């Protein structure tokens, strides 16, 4: 595969205006995979540039600032030198980036530090300042390569921004991707007259059932491609899924869509050619990085930082007496969930959350992460269970609202086109789940008629009966509390205003920081599956 791409890149481009050939390489959702994986990305980019040095465009689709111990170290520990992300993109000579939701959730301190030393532009045409309605970031950039004039327009789907604390949103707001694309694509076409228009978007490229309202789609780039004229290539991201497809725009223009798996597992590579005889053609493929050799120059350059971050990652947090895994967390009560529930309880007991009262905990499990082995749990290990810097919130929910939320959760996990890489687990209630819709419960989900996937039959606090009208205080991470995955809006029909009104408490610091405060390396935790719910299929 690599050799075939190298032979392709040796084709000589025509440098006459309006005709030529370029290679476009896309990375996305790296989440800190900048060690050996970063070296493999560097190696592949170098390979393409070796035969097409002046005619290669390298882009990133966002989610680069949060997700592993290396980034935690860069964001909160080693903060004096240039940020590792800007150093990475500068070393590999990226041409443009766009923003992901995980790049904003930490607040603008980390993003501004990274941005200040970054050579490539950060593009986003649909995030505005509230005080003057001006764009926060550059909307697009023009790149001239291979005889072609390329316009790259960046944007983020505002639906992906659900789950971020309102503190971050106090000074900014975002418009829809469809509105933004409808404005900026024709504007750029008219003012810049480019040969190629690339939409670099932090949004996925999955096809959804036609009966789902457009505004409920986190990943609706197909809709944008089919409705907005003038786009040649869409670089997708966010959904962590491989995408490789072509669709037809409103006036017959062929639009290619490409997106990659996260953590540097894949790169997308498009070859775009234009000639008077054949017009514009785009051929895309997905490159797996597992067989790409690591770039030794990269490892030498970043070696000192990687070593320091690695040593910090070995710092012990506490000891667990059994191995825990979230791999089967959608189908059974797990010790991984039990460990997070135990830590949540400790946080609640030592914080002001205890004063507002907490009836139940809801923890989010990332099912494809590696297990935490029995023994000492380090910073590196714990990022497998808790990868992002969320805060802890307490949300007021009636029993019936909690039921609909959980049913929606399991609907999204088990239904076609639903997300399948994280799932929630509740402590404080007893319930059954079903892969099929088996329960004729007293409520129906807003988007789905019953039977339902879940049945709650009692609670720890009210042992004899589960009360639909009872108001419960449920502790959960800020991603969920602020509508992450759009679960609250889709399951309950809540507006952003209603969501904020139901948050009765929010921590000042992240869950990870609070766990570091309440645990010691000498502590022994004994995580166990709570067995308060059962899948009956």
């Amino acid at each position: 595969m690599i050799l075939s791409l190298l032979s392709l890149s040796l084709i000589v481009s025509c440098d006459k205006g309006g005709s030529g050939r370029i290679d476009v390489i896309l990375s996305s959702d790296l989440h800190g995979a900048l060690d050996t994986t970063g070296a493999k990305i560097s190696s592949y980019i170098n390979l393409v540039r070796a035969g097409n040095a002046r005619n290669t465009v390298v882009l990133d689709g966002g989610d680069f600032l949060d997700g592993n111990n290396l980034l935690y170290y860069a964001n909160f520990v080693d903060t004096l030198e240039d940020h590792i992300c800007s150093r990475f993109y500068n070393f590999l000579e990226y041409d443009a980036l766009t923003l992901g939701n995980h790049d904003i959730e930490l607040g603008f301190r980390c993003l501004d530090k990274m941005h200040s030393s970054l050579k490539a532009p950060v593009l986003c045409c649909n995030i505005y300042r509230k005080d003057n309605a001006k764009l926060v970031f550059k909307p697009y950039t023009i790149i001239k390569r291979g005889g072609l004039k390329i316009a790259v327009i960046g944007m983020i789907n505002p639906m992906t921004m659900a789950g971020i604390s309102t503190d971050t949103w106090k000074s900014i707001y975002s418009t829809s991707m469809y509105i933004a694309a409808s404005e900026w694509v024709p504007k750029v076409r008219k003012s810049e007259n480019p040969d190629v228009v690339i939409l670099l978007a932090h949004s996925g490229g999955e096809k959804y059932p036609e009966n789902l309202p457009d505004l409920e789609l986190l990943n609706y780039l197909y809709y944008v491609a089919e409705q907005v004229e003038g786009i040649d290539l869409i670089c997708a991201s966010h959904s962590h899924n491989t995408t490789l497809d072509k669709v037809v725009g409103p006036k017959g223009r062929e639009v290619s869509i490409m997106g990659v798996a996260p953590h540097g597992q894949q790169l997308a590579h498009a070859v775009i050619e234009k000639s008077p005889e054949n017009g514009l053609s785009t051929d895309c493929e997905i490159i797996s990085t597992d067989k790409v050799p690591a770039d030794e120059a990269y490892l030498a350059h970043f070696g000192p930082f990687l070593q320091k971050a690695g040593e910090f990652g070995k710092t012990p947090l506490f000891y667990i007496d059994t191995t825990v895994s979230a791999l089967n967390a959608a189908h059974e009560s797990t010790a991984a969930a039990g460990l997070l529930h135990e830590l949540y309880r400790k946080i609640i007991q030592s914080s002001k959350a205890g004063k507002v009262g907490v009836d139940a905990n809801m923890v989010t499990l990332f099912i494809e992460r590696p297990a935490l082995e029995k023994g000492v749990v380090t910073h590196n290990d714990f990022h497998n269970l808790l990868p992002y810097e969320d805060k802890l919130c307490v949300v007021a929910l009636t029993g019936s609202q909690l039921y609909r939320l959980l049913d929606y959760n399991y609907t999204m996990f088990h239904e076609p086109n639903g997300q399948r890489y994280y799932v929630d687990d509740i402590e404080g209630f007893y319930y059954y789940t079903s892969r099929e819709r088996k329960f004729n419960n007293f409520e129906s989900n807003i988007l789905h008629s019953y039977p339902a996937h879940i049945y709650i039959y009692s609670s720890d606090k009210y042992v004899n009966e589960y009360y639909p009208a009872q108001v419960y205080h449920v502790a959960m991470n800020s991603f969920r509390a602020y509508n992450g995955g759009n679960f609250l809006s889709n399951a309950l029909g809540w507006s952003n205003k209603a969501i904020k009104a139901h948050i009765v408490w929010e921590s000042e610091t992240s869950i990870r920081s609070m766990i570091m405060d309440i645990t010691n390396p000498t502590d022994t935790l004994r995580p166990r599956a709570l067995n308060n719910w059962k899948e009956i299929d």
Side-chain angles (χ1 to χ4, degrees), residues 287-463:
I287 307 300
S288 176
T289 59
D290 60 347
K291 296 181 181 179
V292 177
D295 177 9
E296 294 299 328
Y298 176 100
L299 293 175
H301 181 79
F302 289 104
F305 176 87
L306 295 176
Q307 183 176 358
K308 288 188 293 182
E311 288 301 317
F312 174 79
K314 296 176 184 177
T315 305
L317 293 178
F318 49 81
Y319 180 94
I320 55 174
D321 70 350
T322 187
T323 296
V324 302
S325 171
L327 186 61
N328 210 35
H331 307 296
E332 65 180 7
S333 178
T334 63
L339 175 58
L340 281 180
H341 283 307
E342 180 178 358
L343 292 169
Y344 273 33
R345 289 195 301 270
K346 288 179 179 291
I347 291 173
I348 291 164
Q349 291 167 3
S350 63
S351 69
K352 294 180 180 179
K355 295 182 180 180
V356 303
V358 176
D359 301 301
N361 299 326
M362 184 170 77
V363 299
T364 302
L365 285 305
F366 293 81
I367 63 173
E368 296 178 352
R369 294 277 178 154
L372 273 63
E373 301 293 334
K374 175 183 176 180
V376 175
V377 175
T378 66
H379 276 280
N380 270 338
D381 300 325
F382 199 63
H383 269 87
N384 289 328
L385 189 63
L386 193 70
Y388 304 118
E389 300 306 311
D390 299 314
K391 295 182 179 181
L392 187 66
C393 294
V394 177
V395 180
L397 297 167
T398 65
S400 62
Q401 288 167 343
L402 179 65
Y403 155 71
R404 294 205 303 272
L405 182 62
L406 280 175
D407 183 43
Y408 182 78
N409 187 309
Y410 282 88
T411 296
M412 290 300 292
F413 196 89
H414 293 302
E415 294 294 297
N417 301 304
Q419 62 79 20
R420 291 179 175 80
Y421 54 89
Y422 55 77
V423 69
D424 295 330
D425 185 290
I426 289 279
E427 177 191 34
F429 294 87
Y430 295 100
Y431 56 99
Y432 295 120
T433 68
S434 167
R435 301 188 195 195
E436 304 296 330
R437 293 180 182 166
K438 290 190 174 182
F439 305 116
N440 288 315
N441 215 330
F442 55 86
E443 290 271 11
S444 65
N445 189 279
I446 285 178
L447 295 184
H448 303 276
S449 60
Y450 48 173
H453 286 285
I454 192 164
Y455 179 73
I456 304 176
Y457 58 93
S458 68
S459 69
D460 288 341
K461 189 172 182 179
Y462 301 95
V463 177

Side-chain angles (χ1 to χ4, degrees), residues 232-277:
D232 297 303
L233 172 65
I234 292 181
C235 295
S237 58
H238 179 66
S239 62
H240 291 195
N241 290 329
T242 303
T243 303
L244 198 63
D245 207 351
K246 292 180 183 289
V247 299
V248 178
K251 294 184 179 180
R253 180 190 299 268
E254 185 177 74
V255 184
S256 296
I257 304 178
M258 63 182 192
V260 295
H263 310 294
Q265 300 170 58
Q266 296 176 333
L267 297 171
H269 184 161
V271 176
I272 302 177
E273 295 186 83
K274 185 180 181 183
S275 67
E277 299 80 16

Side-chain angles (χ1 to χ4, degrees), residues 31 63-68 71 75-76 99-111 156 160-169 172 366 387-391 477-479 506 510 512:
H31 292 293
D63 272 5
F64 42 75
L65 268 184
D66 193 13
N68 69 0
L71 291 178
N75 289 330
F76 302 108
L99 292 164
N101 50 303
H102 289 295
D103 305 322
I104 295 182
E105 69 184 352
L106 300 177
F108 281 91
R109 181 185 66 81
C110 295
L111 181 59
I156 188 170
T160 70
M161 305 304 284
I164 296 177
S165 169
T166 50
D167 286 343
T168 306
W169 282 101
I172 60 174
F366 293 81
Y388 304 118
E389 300 306 311
D390 299 314
K391 295 182 179 181
N477 62 47
S478 55
F479 173 75
E506 179 179 350
S510 71
R512 187 185 317 282

Side-chain angles (χ1 to χ4, degrees), residues 179-192:
I179 292 174
S182 298
E183 175 187 359
W184 283 100
V185 172
K187 182 183 292 187
V188 170
R189 281 281 181 191
K190 181 178 181 180
S191 62
E192 303 287 355

Side-chain angles (χ1 to χ4, degrees), residues 47 64 137 157 205 220 284 309 415 419 424 442 526:
L47 177 66
F64 42 75
F137 302 94
N157 188 335
Y220 76 159
C284 305
E415 294 294 297
Q419 62 79 20
D424 295 330
F442 55 86
R526 296 176 171 80

